[in-house]
Amino acid sequence: MTFDLTPEQDQLRDAVRALGRRYGHGYFVEKAKAGEHTTELWAEAGRLGYLGVNIPTEYGGGGGGITELAIVCEELAASGCPLLLLVVSPAIAATVLNRHGTEEQRKRHLPGLADGSQKIVFAITEPEAGSNFHRLGTVARRDGDGWLLNGRKCYISGVDEADHVLVVARTEDSSTGRLKPALFLVPTDAAGLTRSKLDMEIVSPENQFLLYLDDVRLPADALVGESLDAGLPALFAGLNPERITVAAMGAGTGRYAIERASEYTATRKVWGGRSIGSHQGVSHPLAHAAVQVELARLMIQKAATLYDAGRDLEAGVAGNMAKYAAGEAAALAVDTAVQVLGGAGMTTEYGVATLLGAVRAGRIAPVSREMILNFVAQHVLGQDKSY
């Protein structure tokens, strides 16, 4: 057992950290508050190969795995630039297409995902279904040689920046008549696809949308995979990378908050000239948060290692635990940083309160902490299903 990164992974971490710090949290917040996107950072990360580290080399990627992509997510977040679309486009969409797409779909989309010139977002959540994807109401029906999609999706990230939406729908199995999941690549300019921006209490340059699919006609090759049998495996292929990279982003955000707070408390002097960090009432909460973030990082590393080794079932357990741990640790770290900075913690200048909404959302999405606890109780502790 080793906890050391390879020399190549160490170099990747250092390089991404340097890139992130050149832009920094001020850039991130400025873009978010102006209603703009982090276009320059995304484009440069793509040119340098960081967006495609988990994509095979034959499609223009770096040939690494989710371990490498988690490093990219964590280090950009640790620099104050937590890019949600790293989770959506390289982690979910690229993984789904690489593992279950047709060769034509891989050739058409993976090179653009690798260099950042293309973005594919992911649409599974629905207003009525919530966490229960078995109740999805978006349905795809045969339309001659193609497909006809109808339904609604909510909380879909980055649709205004993307070329395609990877839509999870349900199709009728001709042999049983039952509905089963299938994934479709839907162009964002497709006729019948409309969107409505959701106003969120989160400082982020990436927007959330409601999507409406009204008789959206798609060609046969919009279906991901060679047949409908690819639907369920393709869906689950994206969930573990999603959880691992969301966790990495949370851990990076926690590191960023603790670093900002520690710099402040080590130099802020009151009550006789001693730094406020010398007082245990200040230093202990920060130390506690640092421990929780480091524990989450260890679970992220375990989950990514299991996933890259092809041990999907074990990675599912570890990925859920990592997401839970990182969500809690990030929320604790940011809240603690705000508290120890006092009034300064609530200012935009000091750059920690701007993360409160995002880390709170990290305890809800992409899977809530309660659903993770249900999963652990059932699959690790052997308890009866509670829902």
Side-chain angles (χ1 to χ4, degrees):
M1 180 182 294
T2 177
F3 296 98
D4 295 327
L5 298 176
T6 67
E8 294 77 14
Q9 290 168 342
D10 265 328
Q11 291 170 9
L12 175 65
R13 185 180 292 281
D14 291 342
V16 175
R17 181 187 301 120
L19 172 66
R21 289 186 174 180
R22 278 202 290 110
Y23 285 86
H25 191 60
Y27 163 84
F28 179 89
V29 172
E30 181 182 351
K31 289 291 185 179
K33 292 193 172 184
E36 299 173 355
H37 304 305
T38 52
T39 306
E40 302 86 356
L41 174 55
W42 185 273
E44 188 167 355
R47 284 197 304 272
L48 294 171
Y50 305 150
L51 303 181
V53 289
N54 62 312
I55 293 174
T57 55
E58 58 263 39
Y59 302 109
I66 293 302
T67 297
E68 284 73 22
L69 187 59
I71 289 171
V72 175
C73 290
E74 182 181 345
E75 289 307 319
L76 286 178
S79 301
C81 299
L83 300 186
L84 179 58
L85 287 192
L86 280 170
V87 174
V88 179
S89 197
I92 300 176
T95 299
V96 167
L97 291 174
N98 182 48
R99 291 185 63 169
H100 296 283
T102 64
E103 180 59 21
E104 175 58 31
Q105 288 167 344
R106 288 192 286 269
K107 289 179 178 177
R108 190 188 315 158
H109 297 291
L110 290 182
L113 293 177
D115 67 19
S117 61
Q118 184 177 161
K119 294 176 184 174
I120 299 177
V121 296
F122 185 60
I124 182 171
T125 307
E126 294 185 0
E128 302 303 324
S131 298
N132 185 2
F133 84 90
H134 296 287
R135 292 187 58 193
L136 292 181
T138 300
V139 175
R141 292 184 172 86
R142 294 283 188 183
D143 179 43
D145 293 333
W147 296 92
L148 196 66
L149 267 65
N150 283 279
R152 292 188 299 161
K153 299 290 181 180
C154 61
Y155 305 117
I156 310 305
S157 307
V159 181
D160 55 336
E161 303 179 60
D163 309 281
H164 289 78
V165 183
L166 188 59
V167 174
V168 183
R170 301 182 74 191
T171 61
E172 186 173 281
D173 187 329
S174 58
S175 61
T176 65
R178 296 177 181 173
L179 293 176
K180 64 180 184 179
L183 277 68
F184 295 88
L185 283 161
V186 181
T188 51
D189 61 357
L193 177 64
T194 56
R195 67 187 188 227
S196 174
K197 184 174 175 290
L198 285 165
D199 291 327
M200 307 292 290
E201 295 300 323
I202 298 174
V203 178
S204 173
E206 294 148 329
N207 297 315
Q208 300 292 314
F209 291 90
L210 290 167
L211 291 187
Y212 307 91
L213 299 102
D214 297 304
D215 288 337
V216 176
R217 284 183 167 80
L218 300 172
D221 63 1
L223 175 70
V224 172
E226 300 288 351
S227 72
L228 289 175
D229 291 334
L232 193 59
L235 173 59
F236 281 105
L239 297 184
N240 284 341
E242 176 190 50
R243 282 151 174 68
I244 294 167
T245 50
V246 163
M249 190 167 65
T253 300
R255 284 172 50 202
Y256 167 83
I258 292 167
E259 180 180 345
R260 293 302 302 268
S262 297
E263 290 172 353
Y264 179 86
T265 55
T267 56
R268 170 76 167 160
K269 294 181 179 180
V270 294
W271 305 112
R274 298 176 63 189
S275 70
I276 62 173
S278 67
H279 299 286
Q280 293 177 352
V282 173
S283 62
H284 280 192
L286 275 178
H288 174 62
V291 170
Q292 300 308 306
V293 169
E294 188 62 21
L295 291 173
R297 294 181 74 203
L298 289 173
M299 184 53 76
I300 294 163
Q301 185 175 354
K302 177 180 180 179
T305 300
L306 289 169
Y307 183 83
D308 289 339
R311 295 160 65 177
D312 287 355
L313 289 177
E314 294 165 278
V317 174
N320 273 295
M321 289 183 171
K323 194 273 172 187
Y324 180 96
E328 299 297 301
L332 174 67
V334 172
D335 185 69
T336 301
V338 170
Q339 187 68 25
V340 300
L341 264 69
M346 293 304 298
T347 66
T348 302
E349 176 187 356
Y350 282 86
V352 286
T354 44
L355 295 166
L356 283 168
V359 294
R360 187 61 186 84
R363 300 175 73 210
I364 300 169
V367 57
S368 71
R369 62 192 298 279
E370 289 76 19
M371 289 304 294
I372 292 176
L373 293 175
N374 283 334
F375 177 90
V376 172
Q378 182 181 346
H379 295 283
V380 178
L381 305 181
Q383 303 303 302
D384 288 339
K385 192 172 182 179
S386 63
Y387 55 93

